[in-house]
Amino acid sequence: MSKRRHALSLEDGVFLVHAELGDSVIEEVTGRSARLVRMWSDPDDDAHRVPLYQAVRLDRAMVERGQHPPILTAYKVELRRAFASATVPSDPMARLTDAMIEMGDLAEEVRRARCPRGEGGQQITAEEARDILRALSELRAVLLGLEEDVHAALPTLRPVEAVA
């Protein structure tokens, strides 16, 4: 029976990569046993967490296959949660930079989906649409954060006192 993993968690990202690449490619990419990599996807195993350099290797292997990097996506989601729970607004310039990066990611997904040599040719497949919509959602979240940062930077309005 498969363990339940939170969607968009690091463990789920490792699990998705493992499912896509298979044991032999996983072992080739990481230089570790497929069993150990499976342990990295276990949310209840605090003794075995995916090392950052291995996470990069796993995501790179996915990108080389034309797939999205699920571990990076999970990492971004986790950081967004941290920013959302922060009481201090972010610097709008930093958030704008994040939005530009997300826009680039969205453009890359659309470009990949419309590539004549792609899966569906210039027609967008269901999987490509899912990747585009995910990138769009990530961009939207950053833009909403930017909007909140700008609103937080506005001076608070004080009530006007009437002089009698």
Side-chain angles (χ1 to χ4, degrees), residues 7-138:
L8 296 175
S9 67
L10 292 173
E11 295 83 8
D12 189 48
V14 172
F15 178 79
L16 292 171
V17 172
H18 199 156
E20 176 71 26
L21 299 180
D23 289 349
S24 61
V25 175
I26 285 289
E27 290 176 351
E28 180 184 322
V29 167
T30 63
R32 301 290 188 259
S33 70
R35 182 175 182 270
L36 175 61
V37 176
R38 264 192 297 283
M39 288 179 184
W40 294 342
S41 73
D42 184 344
D44 299 325
D45 188 352
D46 290 334
H48 296 96
R49 295 291 177 214
V50 61
L52 181 58
Y53 72 97
Q54 293 288 15
V56 171
R57 287 178 178 174
L58 293 170
D59 270 349
R60 184 180 295 136
M62 292 294 284
V63 169
E64 288 170 356
R65 287 177 159 236
Q67 302 291 324
H68 80 279
I71 300 169
L72 175 61
T73 301
Y75 187 75
K76 286 170 149 180
V77 166
E78 188 59 34
L79 288 179
R80 281 200 191 97
R81 286 182 190 137
F83 277 122
S85 67
T87 57
V88 179
S90 291
D91 174 23
M93 286 305 293
R95 191 84 75 163
L96 182 59
T97 301
D98 290 344
M100 291 168 64
I101 291 168
E102 295 298 337
M103 179 61 85
D105 291 348
L106 174 61
E108 177 61 23
E109 292 298 341
V110 171
R111 184 202 60 75
R112 186 177 299 139
R114 300 277 295 143
C115 178
R117 290 171 279 143
E119 248 180 70
Q122 288 191 324
Q123 296 290 25
I124 297 175
T125 67
E127 185 174 327
E128 290 167 337
R130 187 193 73 230
D131 292 341
I132 291 169
L133 292 172
R134 185 189 59 254
L136 187 57
S137 175
E138 291 172 4

